[in-house]
Amino acid sequence: ILQYISTRGGSLGQYSDILLEGLAPNGGLAVPEALPQLSSGDIEQWRSLTYPELAAQVIGLFATDISHDDLARLTAVAYGGGRFAAEEIVPLTALNDQLTLVGLSEGPTLAFKDMAMQFLGEALEHVLAQSDRVLNILGATSGDTGSAAEHALRGRDRVSIFMLSPQGRMSAFQRAQMYSLEDANIHNIAVAGVFDDCQNLVKQLSEDLEFKRGHHLGAVNSINFGRISAQITYYFWAWLRATDAVTADQRAGFQVDVAVPSGNFGNILSGLYAKLMGLPLRRLVLAVNENNVLDDFFRTGYYRPRSAENTLATSSPSMDVSRASNLERFVFELLGRDPERTAAAWRELAETGQIDLSAERDRFFAEFGIVSGTSTHDDRLASIRSFVDTSGVTLDPHTADGVKVAQDYLIDDVPMLVLETAKPQKFADTISEALGAPVEIDAATRELLNAPQHVTAMANDEAALRAFISEHALR
């Protein structure tokens, strides 16, 4: 049975254990003791599987303490029953001869976060029922994580959710998707600050082991490896679908590039794990917006998170992140899976405000295939306009960032897959600006935007958050 360890040292147990825990007790993140390894033949055997069947196979490599029958049932529910608009769950759409859009936003909240959250909701309920426990989820969102988590967990008896979001930093549609929910187990908290402030509050409470265990706290942010394992699935699916038309003789080792709009580094990390497992991904193209801390890191080797005051509010708000918590998992791999060196790097960050990994910079691409780039507001608008004109496809602002950076890295004869972040209607103001005309709002969206909203405004105050959770947590 596969065991999990902390990036900063120590054993964490099996998949069911780390599914409920969130941060490790020492502040590190859960990672598998060893990544599963697959041959081209192993991957080829999955070509005929449906998306739920593939998810059971991929997640099963990590969730070895859950039976295959149980996993197959969980993935069938998560990705079945009409929860996703597209029959194939993840459709691929050609944007031009080289660029292909990987449709990850067919779920209930119209964002890629549904791909992992719908599974996580089913898996959490299964594990909690097996152990007769309850869980209080504490999370932070820059836009789409919150609504995806709440829609996956709403109305469940054994789970409540406390979701922190930055006041005034999300689109009206994103706020409405979260704040309009009336389920008793959903608690929305709007923090006076930016996403990184919300994330810091989550970490402060999660690192207090007495409070965490006394209040049964868990996580659904991408610090939860359950989400990462579910996201790895769609990299395999996208590669299999992108190579369906390739001859059988050419498929083994057929490489593609993947562009990933990035905020907290969880999505592209899932692709890196797929690559390290044996999936033939040539390059992982990291795309960021004006909050370009990660682009700076992958170009220089210096990781310098910005302060909350210097984190910009942009038109791709889900990527307004200056401190990417999942980067620690990449650094762990970069440093030879050495927990002592990884812990030392985060001590350096706490003491100096930066991590110097410039000596390892050449390995970012040579060993891990990661390249990066920045997209601006004007770039987003231009990309949205361009692809409406040339392909008839309207991109959301985050996916437009991905497309812009992807175009900077195109190579002849190497397909470029661009991971979709969300549906454009979630960001109507930016789409209207790009296209020079108001976006027509359908009746369902108008009803959502006009629905009463339920949210608690709160200062960026750890004591206030503790008191709120103590009053409302499941026992």
Side-chain angles (χ1 to χ4, degrees):
I1 291 180
L2 182 64
Q3 299 292 312
Y4 286 79
I5 56 176
S6 167
T7 50
R8 303 185 194 179
S11 177
L12 299 177
Q14 302 167 8
Y15 187 85
S16 295
D17 300 315
I18 58 103
L19 203 64
L20 303 180
E21 280 299 314
L23 276 178
N26 59 12
L29 302 183
V31 291
E33 202 166 38
L35 283 173
Q37 297 299 300
L38 297 166
S39 68
S40 58
D42 294 330
I43 299 169
E44 190 60 35
Q45 288 180 355
W46 292 342
R47 186 170 295 277
S48 63
L49 300 183
T50 64
Y51 194 89
E53 291 168 344
L54 178 65
Q57 292 291 339
V58 174
I59 297 170
L61 298 172
F62 299 96
T64 55
D65 56 325
I66 301 177
S67 74
H68 178 74
D69 287 348
D70 282 338
L71 272 177
R73 176 178 53 81
L74 296 175
T75 57
V77 173
Y79 302 112
R83 293 189 186 185
F84 288 78
E87 184 179 353
E88 63 269 53
I89 310 302
V90 177
L92 269 61
T93 304
L95 295 176
N96 57 33
D97 289 344
Q98 259 189 294
L99 288 170
T100 298
L101 185 67
V102 181
L104 299 177
S105 303
E106 301 293 310
T109 70
L110 312 182
F112 87 94
K113 303 292 177 71
D114 290 321
M115 297 304 304
M117 286 298 186
Q118 288 296 312
F119 168 74
L120 196 60
E122 301 306 321
L124 284 173
E125 188 169 63
H126 171 78
V127 172
L128 290 169
Q130 295 274 311
S131 56
D132 193 23
R133 294 171 61 183
V134 298
L135 189 67
N136 294 295
I137 297 291
L138 176 60
T141 184
S142 55
D144 291 326
T145 292
S147 56
E150 291 180 358
H151 281 260
L153 297 170
R154 61 185 299 191
R156 297 184 187 265
D157 294 335
R158 293 180 178 271
V159 183
S160 67
I161 184 164
F162 297 83
M163 187 58 65
L164 313 185
S165 56
Q167 289 179 18
R169 290 274 184 150
M170 301 189 300
S171 76
F173 192 107
Q174 289 174 314
R175 289 194 297 271
Q177 274 193 327
M178 292 174 57
Y179 302 166
S180 64
L181 294 180
E182 298 179 338
D183 304 77
N185 69 326
I186 302 297
H187 306 282
N188 283 300
I189 302 167
V191 174
V194 299
F195 169 74
D196 292 311
D197 294 318
C198 299
Q199 188 161 256
N200 286 337
L201 286 170
V202 170
K203 288 188 175 182
Q204 287 163 7
L205 268 62
S206 298
E207 289 172 353
D208 181 340
L209 296 186
E210 183 178 353
F211 187 87
K212 177 182 177 181
R213 288 171 179 160
H215 293 79
H216 309 291
L217 293 188
V220 291
N221 284 50
S222 51
I223 59 173
N224 188 315
F225 192 86
R227 270 188 56 188
I228 300 297
S229 66
Q231 290 176 172
I232 291 170
T233 301
Y234 53 69
Y235 282 89
F236 281 91
W237 174 267
W239 183 88
L240 287 164
R241 297 293 75 79
T243 57
D244 273 337
V246 177
T247 66
D249 290 341
Q250 294 175 318
R251 284 173 182 166
F254 186 93
Q255 291 193 319
V256 303
D257 291 339
V258 186
V260 189
S262 299
N264 213 21
F265 203 74
N267 200 5
I268 195 167
L269 176 82
S270 305
L272 176 62
Y273 282 155
K275 177 180 172 68
L276 295 176
M277 290 164 67
L279 189 65
L281 304 180
R282 182 178 180 274
R283 292 180 304 180
L284 293 161
V285 182
L286 179 143
V288 295
N289 63 18
E290 293 89 336
N291 295 295
N292 57 353
V293 171
L294 289 175
D295 184 24
D296 182 59
F297 170 66
F298 281 99
R299 290 180 184 277
T300 68
Y302 288 91
Y303 178 53
R304 304 182 182 99
R306 296 179 185 176
S307 66
E309 294 75 23
N310 291 322
T311 300
L312 304 173
T314 77
S315 53
S316 48
S318 298
M319 293 157 59
D320 291 348
V321 179
S322 290
R323 187 179 292 266
S325 61
N326 270 288
L327 191 68
E328 182 166 342
R329 286 182 168 123
F330 169 73
V331 171
F332 180 71
E333 299 294 335
L334 181 72
L335 298 179
R337 308 191 111 236
D338 185 331
E340 292 184 2
R341 293 180 68 192
T342 305
W346 258 257
R347 285 196 299 273
E348 178 188 349
L349 179 63
E351 293 165 4
T352 68
Q354 71 171 25
I355 302 174
D356 179 4
L357 291 168
S358 57
E360 312 291 342
R361 186 175 64 86
D362 290 344
R363 297 175 55 216
F364 293 170
F365 174 69
E367 191 170 329
F368 299 100
I370 298 178
V371 294
S372 66
T374 295
S375 172
T376 67
H377 178 68
D378 287 343
D379 292 328
R380 287 189 277 285
L381 299 184
S383 293
I384 292 167
R385 280 193 297 268
S386 173
F387 282 90
V388 166
D389 291 341
T390 59
S391 68
V393 174
T394 305
L395 306 172
D396 89 280
H398 311 78
T399 310
D401 286 332
V403 164
K404 188 276 174 186
V405 177
Q407 290 176 298
D408 295 338
Y409 284 102
L410 290 177
I411 292 177
D412 289 344
D413 301 325
V414 180
M416 175 74 77
L417 308 181
V418 180
L419 299 194
E420 182 185 48
T421 298
K423 292 296 186 190
Q425 54 262 47
K426 298 190 79 168
F427 308 95
D429 290 347
T430 302
I431 305 303
S432 296
E433 183 181 356
L435 302 183
V439 174
E440 190 171 327
I441 299 177
D442 60 36
T445 300
R446 190 175 296 107
E447 182 180 359
L448 175 67
L449 294 173
N450 291 335
Q453 297 191 358
H454 311 275
V455 59
T456 299
M458 188 177 292
N460 180 15
D461 181 2
E462 182 183 344
L465 180 59
R466 286 174 180 270
F468 186 88
I469 291 173
S470 295
E471 181 180 352
H472 296 95
L474 294 177
R475 302 293 183 186

